[in-house]
Amino acid sequence: ITPISFAITIVLLTFAIFKFKFLSITPVALQKIVDRISDGYLVLNEENIITDFNKTYLETFSQKAEKTRNKNILVYLRKIGINTEKYEKAFETIKNSNETVKFEQEVKELNKYFMVEINTIWQDKQFVGKLILFKDITQHKEDMLAIRRNQDMLVERERLSTLGQMIGGIAHNLKTPIMSISGAVEGISDLIKEYELSIDNPQVNSEDHHAIAKDMSDWVEKIRNYLEYMSDIITAVKGQAVNFSEEEQYTFTISELI
């Protein structure tokens, strides 16, 4: 019995080696390749049961092979804190097509972001399963966030710089009318003193009084003009300050600006 059993075993092994490539290096090499891929993947059958995965996936999600294989993907993802709504919609979308569905997935427990790609696996025009790829884009997200943060800082710095220039312009534009008003007040003060001295002076007639009043009126008119100019500046500055604090954009023509 023993020699016959050995003979049958040798025949079957020979048939397996040459016909079905038994002990071929190809499956071993293929597994090595997929384990070195930077993206984690899951292979599902028609019932959404996990049938295969690579080492990258296990390491990324801190999972063990025995706790991953033969699990329903939707139940499995919920257990590790992932909302499965997008996955269910994707499964429906790719059910009868070759379309690849892509979406971003945040896994808060791992503090990571993934670009998830889901598509179907076909063999001889027969649907045999689904493939889910998990591409880690956490570094990309952090880089984009840093760029956005730097942009916000640059915009804020530019706003402060513009505000400083505007304040300098305000000080320059208000200084002139303030000095002019100060001069006008001095002129009116001199006229008041002159008028007080002329009250008991018999040589001062009504024409002199009218002349003094006219000089006072001229100074008052100048002060009024200076005050209107200052009011216009304050109104313009107020409009600029509102524009700095709002995100709304305004359009204007070069002619309007000039």
Side-chain angles (χ1 to χ4, degrees):
I1 295 174
T2 302
I4 294 173
S5 300
F6 274 112
I8 294 173
T9 302
I10 292 172
V11 170
L12 292 176
L13 279 174
T14 305
F15 184 75
I17 290 172
F18 289 100
K19 179 65 178 178
F20 298 106
K21 306 297 183 183
F22 181 63
L23 301 179
S24 172
I25 195 174
T26 303
V28 178
L30 182 60
Q31 188 61 45
K32 288 287 186 182
I33 292 172
V34 296
D35 283 341
R36 289 179 177 271
I37 293 175
S38 59
D39 301 332
Y41 76 79
L42 291 175
V43 178
L44 315 177
N45 63 13
E46 296 182 18
E47 288 76 32
N48 296 328
I49 303 299
I50 301 173
T51 60
D52 196 13
F53 41 80
N54 64 347
K55 186 178 179 182
T56 305
Y57 174 82
L58 297 177
E59 291 176 348
T60 301
F61 288 87
S62 301
Q63 298 297 312
K64 294 182 179 180
E66 59 272 16
K67 292 185 178 181
T68 304
R69 197 181 303 277
N70 298 325
K71 302 291 183 180
N72 184 291
I73 183 64
L74 300 178
V75 176
Y76 175 73
L77 289 176
R78 293 190 193 105
K79 284 185 177 180
I80 60 176
I82 297 178
N83 190 329
T84 59
E85 183 179 352
K86 293 181 179 179
Y87 295 86
E88 293 174 24
K89 290 182 179 179
F91 292 161
E92 287 296 322
T93 301
I94 67 172
K95 196 171 184 179
N96 298 311
S97 69
N98 290 323
E99 181 181 355
T100 298
V101 178
K102 299 181 180 180
F103 57 85
E104 289 187 9
Q105 175 71 65
E106 180 184 6
V107 182
K108 293 182 179 179
E109 292 184 2
L110 301 177
N111 197 25
K112 287 181 177 292
Y113 290 87
F114 296 94
M115 175 60 70
V116 181
E117 295 184 9
I118 302 177
N119 49 39
T120 51
I121 304 173
W122 297 83
Q123 184 175 6
D124 297 330
K125 298 183 180 180
Q126 293 292 322
F127 174 79
V128 295
K130 309 180 187 77
L131 177 66
I132 305 180
L133 286 176
F134 293 90
K135 298 184 178 181
D136 191 343
I137 58 170
T138 306
Q139 188 61 49
H140 172 72
K141 277 284 187 180
E142 291 176 353
D143 291 343
M144 293 301 295
L145 184 62
I147 291 172
R148 195 176 297 112
R149 194 181 298 117
N150 290 336
Q151 287 177 338
D152 292 341
M153 289 175 59
L154 289 173
V155 170
E156 188 63 26
R157 190 176 300 170
E158 185 63 26
R159 284 183 177 181
L160 292 175
S161 175
T162 303
L163 185 61
Q165 294 175 5
M166 186 171 65
I167 291 173
I170 293 169
H172 174 75
N173 285 317
L174 290 182
K175 190 173 182 179
T176 299
I178 288 173
M179 294 297 294
S180 300
I181 290 173
S182 178
V185 170
E186 288 294 326
I188 292 175
S189 298
D190 292 340
L191 289 171
I192 290 172
K193 291 177 182 178
E194 182 180 350
Y195 181 75
E196 286 181 344
L197 293 173
S198 68
I199 291 175
D200 298 325
N201 190 340
Q203 295 181 351
V204 178
N205 54 34
S206 61
E207 291 182 359
D208 295 329
H209 287 293
H210 284 301
I212 294 173
K214 185 179 183 307
D215 290 341
M216 288 184 178
S217 179
D218 291 341
W219 280 118
V220 169
E221 185 62 28
K222 290 179 180 179
I223 291 174
R224 184 180 291 110
N225 292 334
Y226 294 142
L227 291 175
E228 289 179 357
Y229 174 72
M230 293 171 67
S231 178
D232 291 340
I233 291 176
I234 293 171
T235 301
V237 170
K238 183 179 179 181
Q240 284 290 88
V242 170
N243 288 340
F244 279 140
S245 62
E246 292 182 353
E247 296 297 331
E248 185 177 354
Q249 295 183 352
Y250 296 89
T251 59
F252 55 88
T253 66
I254 297 298
S255 299
E256 290 172 343
L257 178 62
I258 293 174

